[in-house]
Amino acid sequence: HGIIDGTMQDSHATPSRLQTFRAALSARGLQAALIPSSDPHLSEYLPERWQGRAWLSGFTGSSGTLLVAHHRAALFTDSRYWTQAEAELAGTGVDLVKLDGPAIAAYVRWLHDLGLSDPALNLGVDGTVMGLAQTQALRDALKDSAWRLDTQVDLFDEVWPDRPALPASPVYEHLPPHASTPRADKLAQVRQAMGALGATHHWIATLDDLAWVLNLRGADVDYNPVFLAHALISQSSVDLFVAEGKVPAEVAARLAQDSVHLRPYNQALSALRALPDGSTLLIDPKRITWGLREAVPPSVRVIEAINPTTLAKSRKTDAEATFIREAMARDGAAMCAFYAWLATDLGHEHA
């Protein structure tokens, strides 16, 4: 059994779900599909909507990739999860592949071992959740084989009847004194870095970078104070793509004062496609998906470099350093209290 969406999943559910998924593969002319543990923001911890790998395989670990073909399926994960995966995959029809080397090479070996002899084989993947660098590496690894990537595949809308919607938790502001640097100053830092690289626009998809630069917080991902959104930053304004209704009116008004304009979350790709001819877009190839990169028009020059926010948020102000020390002191006190309780109660557990 595994816990998915707060409920126990019976291992008997996986074979029927795989059967439905394989029917969808056939309908799309695909011989296999690769399902990563990822979302459009390349988050480490996923909102329920993008936990399709767990829903389909029954494996609930936070790291793993599922490959499904018409007669075989396999879950690839590293040694942290082998014991858990063996227990959760038992009786599901999904094999465990224990990763002890490069993951891409393991995927390619597994596809080759299927023994399919068709001259053209199609591997489906949802490019909107697959990292740019990872997708490029997979394409390169398959270039001398019969396999070709179809990156326009998200079958879960078809096969997952109760697929969770986007999280609805409201966005709130990170305010002074803890937000010691105003939003306008942070945006100015980013724009200065953009200018130094010759970029007219910059795309941010990673949630921690967004939360930092906009002084906003949320509760869309368990144990992380972030919210689902994308941002397109120009030299004069910001388009923030976030689900409608998540940003309270008073917060939206203060964002507008800094020329941050709200746009529907599902318009992110179309905004990339609409970038003006001759513009220059800065993206971080390790922090953007293949689907987002694919949406950029050929007439737009692309600069690949680390997100300016990644470096900027690592440099703490004196005030931020003080708050970090305070947080660590509270954390240490809590741990001491826990250890004292454990030492006192160990061996005296109640039935």
Side-chain angles (χ1 to χ4, degrees):
H1 291 79
I3 299 176
I4 296 180
D5 298 340
T7 60
M8 295 297 290
Q9 176 177 325
D10 192 320
S11 61
H12 295 299
T14 296
S16 63
R17 291 175 180 178
L18 285 171
Q19 184 178 8
T20 302
F21 189 85
R22 286 169 170 141
L25 282 182
S26 295
R28 292 285 292 268
L30 301 170
Q31 283 70 49
L34 185 148
I35 303 149
S37 300
S38 187
D39 69 1
H41 311 278
L42 303 181
S43 305
E44 182 178 2
Y45 304 104
L46 305 181
E48 290 182 352
R49 177 170 181 79
W50 287 286
Q51 292 184 22
R53 184 266 298 154
W55 176 84
L56 184 56
S57 69
F59 170 66
T60 61
S62 61
S63 178
T65 299
L66 180 65
L67 267 168
V68 179
H70 288 289
H71 302 292
R72 291 181 62 190
L75 187 284
F76 298 73
T77 193
D78 61 63
S79 58
R80 295 172 296 168
Y81 300 94
W82 290 349
T83 300
Q84 177 185 355
E86 286 173 346
E88 292 184 337
L89 296 177
T92 64
V94 179
D95 300 323
L96 169 62
V97 177
K98 297 179 176 180
L99 288 177
D100 56 3
I104 297 293
Y107 305 156
V108 173
R109 284 195 300 271
W110 189 85
L111 291 169
H112 179 267
D113 290 345
L114 291 175
L116 301 179
S117 57
D118 304 49
L121 299 167
N122 298 308
L123 174 64
V125 63
D126 182 1
T128 65
V129 302
M130 188 84 163
L132 172 60
Q134 186 183 24
T135 307
Q136 290 172 329
L138 182 57
R139 284 168 64 96
D140 290 344
L142 294 173
K143 65 182 180 181
D144 295 326
S145 73
W147 288 94
R148 294 294 178 266
L149 276 185
D150 180 347
T151 58
Q152 304 294 319
V153 177
D154 179 7
L155 298 179
F156 286 107
D157 277 341
E158 301 175 30
V159 304
W160 191 350
D162 299 316
R163 186 178 190 180
L166 292 172
S169 300
V171 172
Y172 58 95
E173 285 190 281
H174 184 52
L175 296 169
H178 298 99
S180 59
T181 305
R183 177 167 43 241
D185 291 355
K186 291 180 175 181
L187 287 170
Q189 290 181 52
V190 171
R191 289 178 174 127
Q192 183 178 16
M194 290 167 55
L197 292 169
T200 59
H201 296 78
H202 173 41
W203 190 272
I204 300 179
T206 36
L207 305 184
D208 55 329
D209 289 308
L210 274 177
W212 180 85
V213 74
L214 296 176
N215 281 349
L216 297 175
R217 299 292 187 266
D220 288 350
V221 179
D222 288 346
Y223 317 118
N224 293 266
V226 296
F227 60 100
L228 297 185
H230 297 275
L232 178 61
I233 301 176
S234 73
Q235 289 294 343
S236 59
S237 65
V238 179
D239 286 333
L240 179 62
F241 301 91
V242 61
E244 295 178 83
K246 285 180 67 69
V247 181
E250 62 275 15
V251 176
R254 285 191 286 273
L255 287 170
Q257 292 174 3
D258 292 320
S259 297
V260 179
H261 309 296
L262 303 184
R263 303 286 184 259
Y265 180 83
N266 59 9
Q267 290 184 8
L269 284 177
S270 59
L272 271 176
R273 297 187 184 105
L275 282 171
D277 293 348
S279 56
T280 301
L281 177 68
L282 168 62
I283 60 170
D284 187 335
K286 293 184 178 179
R287 293 171 176 81
I288 197 169
T289 65
W290 174 267
L292 287 169
R293 176 62 182 87
E294 213 171 21
V296 179
S299 60
V300 173
R301 177 172 171 252
V302 173
I303 298 173
E304 294 189 357
I306 190 170
N307 279 345
T309 45
T310 301
L311 296 176
K313 64 187 172 68
S314 71
R315 301 180 180 124
K316 306 304 181 187
T317 65
D318 290 342
E320 288 169 337
T322 297
F323 292 133
I324 290 171
R325 294 187 185 99
E326 180 183 336
M328 294 302 293
R330 292 185 181 187
D331 177 75
M335 287 298 295
C336 288
F338 168 73
Y339 287 138
W341 168 84
L342 183 64
T344 302
D345 281 33
L346 198 61
H348 301 282
E349 297 88 349
H350 299 289

